[in-house]
Amino acid sequence: MKKRIAILGSTGSIGTQTLDVVRQHPDKFEVEVLTAYNNADLLIQQAREFIPNTIVIGNESKYDDLKNALSDLPVKIFAGSDAISQVVEMDTIDIVLTAMVGFSGLVPTLNAIKAKKTIALANKETLVVAGELIKKLVLENNVKILPVDSEHSAIFQCLVGEGRNEIEKIILTASGGPFRGKDIDFLKKVTPEQALKHPNWDMGAKITIDSATLMNKGFEAIEAKWLFDLKPEQIEVVVHHQSIVHSLVQFTDGSIKAQMGLPDMKLPILYALAYPDRIKTNFPRFNFIDFPELNFEKPDLNSFKNLPLAYFAMEKAGNMPCILNAANEVAVYAFLCKKIGFLDIPDIITQAMHKLSYIKNPGLNELIQTDNETRMYCETLIDRIII
Ligand code: MG
């Protein structure tokens, strides 16, 4: 039986790499649903190649383009954010791979869990913003969340076969991004072009900036807290610039397990889709002789303030991670548009975390409201910045 997959965000970096994986294993996987927000041209091309049951475009103004381009195919076409949130409930879907960017992943993921679908989670912001809600729904509906993020896939793989053995701590590895070893004076002047050049991983623009600021690692710490039921003090971050050790688990006997391999997102994507099986691939293999030295160092928390900000939000919990995420999304976008500097990103997030009202046990509506209010507040801050 082939696994039938819905890919939310099929035109992004993870989405296109997931389709590469499906293309290489047509006997194992079948594309049932594709959704994209804006890139109609690529969505049309993907629909022609994979002939899914249904496609959805978030931007409603592109509906007619899709309809006209695909009129000869038996593909159902819908448009709008609500359609993306609803399409995940289709009976014929086995796995929903969530690869959209940021807060927009939240409601579709919640709906997919309620519809008892297995989730291959690539949208970490969902767990950052609403980890508590998601965890409750996952237990109620008895669904599995399979991590696609490489670090969490590593930890997940280290835990296979460990049953109830307790985790002492996990160690998330961070590449350190393009500005590893740089000081505040250097960071003040960096451009989006410099920040977008990631040394090891080929990713979308938003996550590449998050990687350069270390916010990505902060989000991953929060993601790990919810996925593996950990306390903040059990989650350690170590910079490992070769990105070969994808993360580690230390058990209560002191033993450490690591998962390793060349940095290629197709590996964790395939693991999540094929779980619990491993499928033979022709991916390039890691060779120790090519990497005689693997290095590990402490993250620089003075220059990269987003990481301690994320830990603060994780410890505070409630709607604080939601404020962190919304402020970061707005600030990263403003940086990409050259409206603010690189170091304005942590400044804006810090101010938002002080300004917005704290809610200890937010429901979905309060999270949506927090997200909106934070975005509006941060826009006013950005308008005042001149660079
Ligand atoms: Mg990652």
Side-chain angles (χ1 to χ4, degrees):
M1 278 279 279
K2 290 187 197 180
K3 285 188 184 169
R4 295 163 299 182
I5 305 168
I7 304 173
L8 309 187
S10 67
T11 57
S13 173
I14 294 288
T16 53
Q17 293 183 79
T18 302
L19 287 172
D20 282 343
V21 167
V22 173
R23 200 179 278 121
Q24 285 158 14
H25 303 282
D27 53 322
K28 305 276 185 201
F29 311 117
E30 190 174 344
V31 177
E32 190 67 9
V33 172
L34 295 173
T35 80
Y37 188 72
N38 221 9
N39 192 343
D41 291 341
L42 185 53
L43 185 59
I44 289 166
Q45 205 181 308
Q46 293 174 341
R48 288 217 156 268
E49 181 182 352
F50 292 94
I51 325 271
N53 178 310
T54 301
I55 61 171
V56 187
I57 185 99
N59 182 345
E60 293 176 38
S61 71
K62 308 240 167 147
Y63 175 78
D64 287 340
D65 296 351
L66 293 182
K67 205 70 191 157
N68 295 333
L70 298 169
S71 57
D72 58 323
L73 294 179
V75 176
K76 294 186 205 95
I77 303 168
F78 298 96
S81 306
D82 289 350
I84 294 179
S85 300
Q86 284 158 18
V87 77
V88 297
E89 295 165 13
M90 269 171 47
D91 290 349
T92 49
I93 298 170
D94 298 314
I95 300 184
V96 177
L97 185 129
T98 61
M100 57 282 261
V101 180
F103 190 84
S104 65
L106 177 58
V107 175
T109 307
L110 291 171
N111 282 358
I113 296 169
K114 286 184 206 154
K116 303 193 191 296
K117 305 298 181 189
T118 297
I119 309 290
L121 187 94
N123 171 255
K124 69 191 83 188
E125 291 90 341
T126 295
L127 275 185
V128 170
V129 168
E132 190 109 51
L133 273 184
I134 301 267
K135 196 178 150 186
K136 195 167 150 256
L137 272 182
V138 162
L139 288 173
E140 275 171 21
N141 291 284
N142 195 23
V143 304
K144 271 196 198 67
I145 295 197
L146 303 168
V148 170
D149 211 347
S150 61
E151 294 78 359
H152 306 77
S153 176
I155 292 160
F156 189 75
Q157 293 181 53
C158 290
L159 292 174
V160 168
E162 291 294 343
R164 280 191 240 169
N165 286 334
E166 217 179 299
I167 298 172
E168 191 162 87
K169 68 174 181 184
I170 62 163
I171 302 155
L172 293 173
T173 52
S175 70
F179 306 136
R180 184 177 59 92
K182 304 296 186 195
D183 61 12
I184 296 270
D185 283 335
F186 181 92
L187 294 176
K188 245 182 228 159
K189 298 177 209 122
V190 300
T191 62
E193 290 78 12
Q194 288 171 294
L196 286 170
K197 282 199 190 103
H198 196 277
N200 303 340
W201 296 97
D202 177 16
M203 305 178 289
K206 198 254 174 185
I207 188 175
T208 305
I209 303 300
D210 285 344
S211 182
T213 64
L214 293 198
M215 182 56 96
N216 184 50
K217 213 48 55 180
F219 282 167
E220 288 180 354
I222 300 174
E223 185 185 6
K225 168 186 153 167
W226 295 115
L227 281 174
F228 306 111
D229 213 2
L230 299 168
K231 297 191 183 76
E233 58 270 25
Q234 289 175 289
I235 306 167
E236 193 176 308
V237 172
V238 170
V239 174
H240 163 50
H241 71 87
Q242 293 97 348
S243 299
I244 296 297
V245 178
H246 297 313
S247 278
L248 313 91
V249 179
Q250 181 174 313
F251 295 92
T252 45
D253 60 356
S255 181
I256 295 179
K257 278 165 108 175
Q259 188 267 337
M260 303 171 69
L262 292 173
D264 183 344
M265 279 312 295
K266 287 198 275 297
L267 236 155
I269 291 169
L270 178 64
Y271 189 79
L273 294 184
Y275 177 83
D277 299 334
R278 287 189 186 271
I279 294 177
K280 195 176 164 110
T281 73
N282 55 7
F283 296 157
R285 266 44 175 171
F286 168 75
N287 181 348
F288 275 96
I289 309 306
D290 296 338
F291 292 87
E293 266 183 78
L294 294 177
N295 305 96
F296 301 90
E297 62 197 64
K298 265 190 184 170
D300 173 359
L301 303 183
N302 288 319
S303 302
F304 298 92
K305 295 208 173 6
N306 279 356
L307 186 56
L309 285 172
Y311 266 78
F312 175 80
M314 170 162 58
E315 274 153 30
K316 196 87 181 152
N319 66 341
M320 196 57 89
C322 179
I323 298 170
L324 174 88
N325 175 68
N328 182 62
E329 275 188 41
V330 173
V332 167
Y333 186 69
F335 172 69
L336 284 170
C337 298
K338 304 196 175 182
K339 288 185 188 165
I340 63 170
F342 189 76
L343 292 181
D344 290 321
I345 300 174
D347 268 2
I348 287 168
I349 298 167
T350 306
Q351 291 188 61
M353 286 167 74
H354 279 114
K355 177 76 179 180
L356 277 289
S357 324
Y358 176 68
I359 306 170
K360 200 171 180 341
N361 292 304
L364 178 59
N365 289 336
E366 284 160 313
L367 290 174
I368 292 172
Q369 197 184 338
T370 298
D371 180 75
N372 279 329
E373 287 173 4
T374 307
R375 281 166 200 270
M376 284 192 302
Y377 174 67
C378 292
E379 293 293 356
T380 64
L381 295 179
I382 288 162
D383 288 342
R384 278 186 239 143
I385 293 172
I386 302 159
I387 58 164

